[in-house]
Amino acid sequence: MESSKAILDKIKVYGTYESKNAYIIRDFLMRSVVTFDWIPVDSIDAFRLLYLKPVPDHYSLPILEMPSGLLLSNPTIEEIAFNLGWITKPKLAEYDVSIFGAGPAGLSAAVYAASEGLKTVLVEREAIGGQAGTSSRIENYLGFPNGITGADLAERARQQAVKFGVDILLIRQSIKAEFIAHKIHVDLIDGSKIVAKANISATGVTYSRLDIKNEDQYLDLGIYYGAGSSEAVLCANQHVFIVGGGNSAGQAALNFCKHAKKVTMVIRRNDLEATLSYYLLNRIQKIPNIEVLFNSNITELHGEGSLQEITITDNISLLNTHYPTKFVFVCIGGKPNTRWAEDTTIVRDKAGYLVTGSDLYKPPFAKEWDGSFEPNYLQTSLPSCFAAGDVRHNSIKRVASAVGEGAMAVTFVHKYLHDNY
Ligand SMILES: Cc1cc2nc3c(=O)[nH]c(=O)nc-3n(C[C@H](O)[C@H](O)[C@H](O)COP(=O)(O)OP(=O)(O)OC[C@H]3O[C@@H](n4cnc5c(N)ncnc54)[C@H](O)[C@@H]3O)c2cc1C
């Protein structure tokens, strides 16, 4: 991955504005800090004609042109990653620690673990950076007085991890974990297996959905989950809607208002004070093209093919208003990524978050495990398995706390390895 970085600034993505797959490609490249040109074209014939590219008949848009000139027809993320040289096999038969999830918590854990001499593998199912990687500007992370994009922060951490020798496996999801003789054996989606003496789960959360009829139909065709950093410049003169009143929604509004004609934040509650950081609230209130609709929900989605209109219901008057729009960004928090733990004895809370440390002694969790050891702060009910960041029950949902927990988890891994090996 490291060596290919230098030549990546010449990737071109050709496609139609309405293309779902073109959005998925742009989002992946943006989050992976790969510089690319987005070139809208109406059809494959127009592509042939305008760019004089000899493409076989079965090729279709979107087309990705690699720096080498290779054309990929409607590629999957896996194909793109493969062609960037990012798909690698695990280098070792067994690691000291396996870390799942390359958001801030996992990246931090990987950097600390490898820099302290542990044989470390970091497995990520999508792009490096996690939720933070989708943030247009993180302004409250220590050491960056002018803020930093989430993708940049993630790329710096990736370089640090590579420098210390972390084995990074991208586009690989863990689907099943088994604990055999205290070691964690994990099946990855591509059929490979990882064995490690200890494990740090930093799998974070996935965005929640709106849960309205035909939402799936417009997924990535007008309805986007997350702050849509890759899309802001495409929203020139558009009316953009952002659902949610937390910091991620606030940041998205501040990013989109620079390009869009108008940004409307749709909020269920009747205030923003409780959910939004003061500095974001202050700015949002002063920007004329940001509007906030309180006590409101999006209740209907309409459009042929892609999204063209939404209905917003005022939860007090029950009045419905219809708005034409092509862009709705949903930033309403999420559910923990812990399905991999379903068949293990790891204690999770009702929502699926991993329970750690002293919380394991408290009801209702106390009766769910055998209490056979004294868990430290980030240790789950399985002694070799630690949790860091948003995936943890009662975690503080911030970049800094995820980074801190990642580093702390490594200290506890050292102690565990020292006591058991
Ligand atoms: C748009 C946005 C803006 C934000 N802005 C700020 C901010 O300004 N300041 C701030 O402090 N916080 C901010 N936050 C919150 C912050 O980003 C999160 O608290 C932080 O990213 C949590 O880090 P994490 O590593 O625990 O989890 P995540 O960032 O959620 O990362 C988890 C990673 O695990 C991967 N994964 C999941 N399941 C698997 C699996 N089975 N196998 C392999 N990999 C898996 C995911 O793909 C993901 O990359 C923002 C969040 C969002 C969404």
Side-chain angles (χ1 to χ4, degrees):
M1 189 162 170
E2 181 80 328
S3 58
S4 49
K5 277 280 168 192
I7 51 163
L8 295 183
D9 50 355
K10 291 190 198 120
I11 280 185
K12 295 187 178 75
V13 184
Y14 302 86
T16 62
Y17 271 113
E18 297 76 26
S19 164
K20 188 178 182 135
N21 289 355
Y23 164 74
I24 293 169
I25 293 170
R26 287 196 302 270
D27 182 58
F28 173 73
L29 293 177
M30 181 91 176
R31 287 168 60 188
S32 305
V33 202
V34 173
T35 320
F36 65 95
D37 289 329
W38 160 242
I39 303 160
V41 282
D42 289 339
S43 63
I44 190 81
D45 289 337
F47 171 77
R48 279 195 185 96
L49 210 68
L50 288 171
Y51 300 101
L52 303 173
K53 305 276 184 201
V55 287
D57 285 348
H58 66 274
Y59 269 42
S60 61
L61 293 176
I63 283 185
L64 191 135
E65 185 177 0
M66 298 298 290
S68 62
L70 175 73
L71 298 175
L72 305 176
S73 161
N74 194 10
T76 60
I77 295 307
E78 286 80 358
E79 280 173 84
I80 298 172
F82 177 79
N83 279 282
L84 289 169
W86 292 357
I87 301 285
T88 51
K89 292 257 171 237
K91 290 194 182 86
L92 302 180
E94 184 178 305
Y95 293 87
D96 293 324
V97 59
S98 55
I99 301 165
F100 292 87
L107 283 164
S108 157
V111 166
Y112 279 89
S115 68
E116 290 166 16
L118 297 179
K119 288 180 202 138
T120 306
V121 62
L122 175 63
V123 183
E124 166 57 49
R125 69 173 180 190
E126 290 168 9
I128 294 257
Q131 295 167 73
T134 67
S135 169
S136 52
R137 189 147 291 269
I138 298 168
E139 294 193 59
N140 56 359
Y141 187 58
L142 196 71
F144 296 92
N146 299 320
I148 180 164
T149 68
D152 268 348
L153 185 66
E155 171 55 17
R156 285 169 189 235
R158 185 196 68 81
Q159 287 176 16
Q160 235 170 334
V162 168
K163 182 179 103 179
F164 286 120
V166 176
D167 197 1
I168 301 181
L169 304 179
L170 275 187
I171 331 281
R172 238 59 77 77
Q173 186 171 348
S174 56
I175 47 171
K176 191 169 163 244
E178 257 184 303
F179 291 85
I180 305 169
H182 293 298
K183 289 183 185 162
I184 180 168
H185 295 238
V186 175
D187 292 340
L188 303 184
I189 201 150
D190 65 347
S192 49
K193 275 185 193 291
I194 302 269
V195 181
K197 292 176 187 149
N199 165 59
I200 299 173
S201 171
T203 46
V205 300
T206 293
Y207 304 111
S208 294
R209 320 195 50 166
L210 290 173
D211 274 341
I212 45 182
K213 205 180 87 190
N214 61 13
E215 190 175 350
D216 280 348
Q217 182 187 332
Y218 299 111
L219 178 61
D220 299 335
L221 288 170
I223 296 284
Y224 305 94
Y225 299 99
S229 326
S230 64
E231 303 307 279
V233 286
L234 307 184
C235 294
N237 295 321
Q238 302 284 329
H239 187 175
V240 171
F241 289 78
I242 294 168
V243 185
N247 283 353
S248 57
Q251 279 178 16
L254 289 172
N255 190 29
F256 280 110
C257 75
K258 290 182 253 164
H259 307 278
K261 185 170 69 187
K262 184 172 177 183
V263 175
T264 299
M265 294 180 73
V266 184
I267 320 251
R268 228 174 359 169
R269 304 164 57 105
N270 61 2
D271 69 79
L272 275 174
E273 278 81 0
T275 51
L276 196 62
S277 288
Y278 179 71
Y279 79 96
L280 291 172
L281 179 62
N282 222 347
R283 276 187 228 163
I284 281 170
Q285 284 168 337
K286 288 185 189 140
I287 294 177
N289 69 336
I290 301 184
E291 160 194 65
V292 183
L293 294 181
F294 293 106
N295 300 308
S296 299
N297 273 327
I298 296 182
T299 46
E300 284 175 35
L301 307 169
H302 304 279
E304 285 288 313
S306 59
L307 184 70
Q308 276 142 22
E309 188 185 272
I310 59 173
T311 304
I312 294 185
T313 305
D314 182 303
N315 298 334
I316 296 174
S317 66
L318 299 184
L319 210 72
N320 288 332
T321 312
H322 308 287
Y323 296 89
T325 185
K326 292 182 187 165
F327 295 99
V328 172
F329 295 90
V330 182
C331 303
I332 52 173
K335 297 195 179 97
N337 298 312
T338 56
R339 276 193 61 191
W340 59 269
E342 268 170 14
D343 297 331
T344 71
T345 56
I346 294 177
V347 175
R348 298 183 300 156
D349 69 12
K350 246 197 329 208
Y353 289 92
L354 304 179
V355 181
T356 57
S358 59
D359 284 335
L360 283 164
Y361 291 117
K362 296 177 191 159
F365 312 118
K367 59 177 188 305
E368 289 182 44
W369 74 302
D370 57 12
S372 57
F373 66 102
E374 199 175 316
N376 62 49
Y377 181 50
L378 301 176
Q379 204 163 17
T380 68
S381 55
L382 265 174
S384 58
C385 188
F386 299 79
D390 283 12
V391 74
R392 210 172 56 74
H393 171 76
N394 266 343
S395 63
I396 294 158
K397 310 282 185 289
R398 289 282 183 277
V399 174
S401 48
V403 167
E405 289 192 5
M408 261 166 87
V410 172
T411 307
F412 295 134
V413 165
H414 277 300
K415 183 170 179 334
Y416 169 80
L417 293 177
H418 177 265
D419 292 349
N420 292 278
Y421 287 89

